[in-house]
């Protein structure tokens, strides 16, 4: 008779391992030195821990604020250059003096042209001081341009003719022509500044920005460098 095989130290025999099964929780995690811990840094946190990236974000915030504040100048120029809609009043009502006039469209067009110019100018000034570009800079120009356009819209309406048309008509008297309040009928004109600034910045960076160095040619092992051909 053959005595049954008894494991050493009275331990149960090991179960056969399946080579296709996933590694155990304890051994697999310890065996992989490249595994990241669950409490590792997120990409956003790693981005803001880089001093260079933090400096870029700070510069972008300053640029966005400066561009937005420059919208006050656009708000001053708009009511000065835009055509005004003439009104006239009688004893009962207030009418358009020229029913076929295009002054209201001209006010929107003037705002768009000024906003486009401010967008290109702001992008050019920023590019002169910072040629490297980058996503934070483009976002700053776009956000600052939008805020500047909104600020210019409100400043222009405030500096333009009074919005109390009835009181204005009573003040000037019957049969006297006066200007209607300045209005921005097409609200899409507010996008002219940010779009122009973004496109101008991308164009300037692509044409005149610094170029990345070209990668060096790789030499494969086993291939000795070839001598230049002998013209003789």
């Amino acid at each position: 008779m053959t005595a049954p095989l008894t494991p050493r130290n009275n331990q149960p025999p090991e179960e056969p391992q399946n080579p296709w099964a996933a590694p155990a929780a304890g051994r697999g995690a310890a065996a992989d030195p490249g595994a990241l811990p669950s409490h590792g840094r997120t990409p956003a946190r790693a981005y803001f821990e880089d001093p260079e990236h933090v400096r870029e974000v700070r510069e972008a915030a300053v640029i966005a604020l400066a561009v937005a504040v420059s919208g006050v100048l656009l708000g001053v120029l708009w009511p000065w250059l835009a055509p005004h809609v003439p009104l006239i009043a009688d004893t009962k009502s207030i009418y358009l003096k020229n029913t076929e006039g295009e002054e209201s469209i001209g006010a929107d067009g003037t705002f768009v042209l000024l906003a486009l110019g401010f967008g290109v100018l702001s992008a050019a000034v920023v590019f002169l001081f910072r040629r490297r570009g980058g996503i934070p800079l483009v976002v700053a120009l776009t956000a600052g341009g939008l805020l500047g356009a909104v600020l210019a819209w409100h400043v222009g309406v405030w500096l333009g003719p009074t919005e109390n048309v009835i009181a204005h008509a009573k003040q000037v008297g019957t049969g006297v022509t006066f200007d209607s309040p300045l209005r921005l009928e097409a609200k899409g004109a507010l996008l002219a500044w940010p779009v122009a600034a973004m496109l101008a910045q991308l164009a300037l960076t692509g044409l005149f920005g610094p170029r990345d160095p070209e990668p060096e040619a790789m030499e494969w092992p086993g291939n000795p460098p070839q001598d230049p051909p002998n013209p003789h």
Side-chain angles (χ1 to χ4, degrees):
M1 296 179 61
T2 304
L5 298 176
T6 303
R8 299 179 181 178
N9 300 328
N10 296 324
Q11 296 294 331
E14 297 182 358
E15 297 180 359
Q17 297 182 358
N18 185 0
W20 303 105
R27 292 179 297 176
D32 187 3
L36 294 176
S38 58
H39 56 278
R41 297 182 303 173
T42 61
R45 180 179 177 184
Y47 180 88
F48 286 102
E49 286 182 355
D50 189 351
E52 182 66 19
H53 293 163
V54 173
R55 187 177 65 84
E56 289 182 357
V57 173
R58 290 178 179 176
E59 290 180 355
V62 174
I63 291 172
L65 180 61
V67 173
V69 172
S70 64
V72 176
L73 180 58
L74 174 58
V76 174
L77 294 176
W78 181 37
W80 181 41
L81 299 176
H84 298 278
V85 180
L87 301 177
I88 191 170
D90 55 13
T91 57
K92 296 182 179 180
S93 302
I94 301 174
Y95 306 94
L96 288 172
K97 184 178 182 180
N98 185 6
T99 57
E100 298 181 356
E102 299 179 354
E103 288 83 359
S104 58
I105 301 177
D108 289 359
T110 303
F111 187 91
V112 171
L113 292 177
L114 289 173
L116 291 174
F118 270 71
V120 175
L121 181 61
S122 59
V125 171
V126 171
F127 180 77
L128 291 177
F129 289 95
R130 195 176 188 279
R131 294 177 175 269
R132 289 177 296 174
I135 296 179
L137 185 60
V138 177
V139 173
L141 283 172
T142 305
L146 181 59
L147 294 176
V150 174
L151 181 60
W153 170 34
H154 290 286
V155 171
V157 172
W158 179 64
L159 294 178
T162 178
E163 296 187 75
N164 193 344
V165 180
I166 297 178
H168 197 184
K170 292 180 179 180
Q171 180 182 2
V172 299
T174 304
V176 179
T177 303
F178 61 97
D179 295 330
S180 69
L182 187 62
R183 301 183 184 278
L184 187 64
E185 301 295 341
K187 299 304 186 291
L190 298 174
L191 300 177
W193 187 340
V195 171
M198 179 182 63
L199 295 179
Q201 172 63 24
L202 294 177
L204 290 173
T205 303
L207 294 175
F208 307 105
R211 298 291 188 269
D212 295 333
E214 297 182 358
E216 298 181 358
M218 299 181 61
E219 296 183 1
W220 298 97
N223 295 333
Q226 299 181 357
D227 297 332
N230 190 351
H232 302 288

